[in-house]
Amino acid sequence: MLLVAFAEGLGAAKNYAVRGHYEVDADRELIGLGAAGLGAGLSSGMVVNGSLSKTAVNWSAGARTQLSGVFVAPLTVITLLFLTGLFEKLPEAVLAAVVIAAVVELVDLASLAALHRVFTRRLGQDYGVAARPDFLAAVAALLGVLVLDTLPGLFIGIGASLLLLLYRSSRPVVSELGQLPGNGHFTALDRHRDTRRIPGVVVLRVEGGIYFANAERIRSTVGKAAGRDGATAVVIDAETVPFIDVSAVRMLDQLAGELKARGVRLLLARDVGQVRDVLSTADAGAELRHVHPTVREAVEAARTDT
C-alpha cells in the first residue's frame, strides 16, 4: 500500500510540476508522506497519499499551490456535516464523470508513441527486442494496471524495467574503431565511412560497464576480433567503461595471457577513475596495470613492439 501511495503521489506531483514549471524533490515527498502516514497511524486514520484523480480535479478547478488544501479541508468538513443531503441521491456515475473529465487529459498517447520512435537499425542489431526499453516498460506497466490492478501493475513495470536493464547491460556494444585521415581521431568504423583500420592492430571500444554478467561475452568478442589475419595486438578503449568488477579484471587478465600465447598483445587505453582504482588494487597483470593515456599512444606502442 505504501508503494502504491508513493508511486501515485509522486507520479501526480511530477506530472503537474512539469505543467506548473516547478521542481519536485522525491526525498521530501517521501518524508512528507511518511510523516502524514505516521500521524494517521497514531490517530487511527486511513493511509495518506496523493491522489492523481483528485489532483487532476484540483488543477482543473484552478488550484496552483498547496494553499488550496487549506480551503478544501474545512469545506469538506462543512459538506460532511451539513450538506450531505444534497449529494445523497446522486448516482456514482456523476462522481465518475467528474473524475474522468479531469483525468482524461492525463492519457498521453503521444508520449507512448514518442517512446516507440526511439529506435534505429543499429539499436535493433545490438539489442534485438530490447532496443525500445522505455516503450516496453511503459506498455508492461500499462497492461499490468489495466488487466490486474494498480499494485501488480506497479511491480510488473518495475520488474520489466529491471529485466530490460539486465538484458542490455549483459550485451554491451563493442565497436571496432578506425582512424580518420587527417586529424588522426579514432571513431567507429560503422559510423564514419572515411575511417581506416590500423594494419595489424585491432582497436575496440566497450560501450558499457564490464562485470560478471557480461564478462564472458566481451571475452568472446575480443577473442574473435583478435583472431583476424595479421592481427598482432588488440587495444581496448576504456573511456566509455564507467565501472569494472574483480571478475572482469580476472577475465581480462586471463584473456591477455591467452592472446599472448597466440602472439597477440592486449593493451588498454584511457581508463576512467573507478576502472583505474579497481585495476590498481585487483592484482591485475602488467598489461592491465599499464594503461595508455590515449588510443594513439597504445596503437603506437603496439606497432613499435611488433
Side-chain angles (χ1 to χ4, degrees):
M1 190 178 294
L2 290 174
L3 287 174
V4 174
F6 179 64
E8 184 179 5
L10 186 61
K14 285 189 173 182
N15 191 298
Y16 286 96
V18 173
R19 299 171 182 234
H21 306 290
Y22 59 86
E23 295 183 359
V24 173
D25 188 337
D27 292 336
R28 292 180 66 87
E29 291 290 325
L30 185 58
I31 292 173
L33 282 174
L38 183 61
L42 293 175
S43 60
S44 300
M46 300 180 67
V47 175
V48 179
N49 76 306
S51 171
L52 184 60
S53 59
K54 294 180 179 63
T55 303
V57 173
N58 207 25
W59 181 272
S60 63
R64 293 296 179 268
T65 69
Q66 295 92 331
L67 193 61
S68 62
V70 177
F71 291 94
V72 170
L75 290 176
T76 301
V77 173
I78 293 173
T79 301
L80 291 174
L81 293 176
F82 306 108
L83 303 177
T84 52
L86 298 177
F87 304 101
E88 183 180 3
K89 296 183 180 181
L90 284 177
E92 291 186 0
V94 174
L95 175 61
V98 173
V99 174
I100 291 173
V103 176
V104 68
E105 63 179 14
L106 298 179
V107 180
D108 193 358
L109 296 179
S111 293
L112 202 61
L115 293 178
H116 186 270
R117 288 196 299 269
V118 181
F119 178 82
T120 63
R121 182 180 57 84
R122 173 71 181 272
L123 287 173
Q125 292 175 350
D126 293 335
Y127 297 113
V129 295
R132 295 184 175 94
D134 301 300
F135 174 76
L136 293 178
V139 170
L142 173 64
L143 294 178
V145 171
L146 291 177
V147 176
L148 300 176
D149 203 348
T150 304
L151 185 58
L154 177 63
F155 282 113
I156 288 174
I158 294 173
S161 299
L162 289 176
L163 288 175
L164 289 166
L165 177 62
L166 289 174
Y167 180 81
R168 287 170 66 94
S169 66
S170 67
R171 299 167 59 91
V173 177
V174 181
S175 301
E176 184 175 358
L177 307 184
Q179 197 169 24
L180 285 172
N183 57 23
H185 292 166
F186 286 85
T187 58
L189 289 172
D190 58 350
R191 298 282 186 178
H192 301 274
R193 296 180 179 179
D194 296 334
T195 0
R196 296 292 180 266
R197 287 189 172 95
I198 305 298
V201 181
V202 179
V203 183
L204 302 176
R205 181 178 63 202
V206 181
E207 300 177 7
I210 308 178
Y211 67 115
F212 65 93
N214 60 25
E216 288 303 318
R217 185 179 183 88
I218 293 175
R219 178 178 186 166
S220 175
T221 303
V222 175
K224 290 179 181 178
R228 182 182 304 154
D229 292 339
T232 59
V234 175
V235 175
I236 296 181
D237 181 5
E239 186 183 31
T240 54
V241 179
F243 65 90
I244 191 171
D245 69 357
V246 176
S247 299
V249 173
R250 291 174 179 171
M251 177 275 294
L252 291 175
D253 209 13
Q254 294 172 2
L255 179 61
E258 294 174 2
L259 294 180
K260 186 176 182 180
R262 293 159 49 184
V264 180
R265 288 188 61 196
L266 178 66
L267 300 93
L268 295 183
R270 300 201 297 179
D271 59 339
V272 294
Q274 295 184 29
V275 176
R276 185 181 305 118
D277 293 339
V278 175
L279 289 175
S280 63
T281 57
D283 296 328
E287 293 288 353
L288 300 184
R289 287 198 303 270
H290 180 63
V291 181
H292 298 271
T294 65
V295 176
R296 182 181 299 178
E297 290 187 20
V299 170
E300 290 177 354
R303 301 182 71 178
T304 300
D305 293 342
T306 55

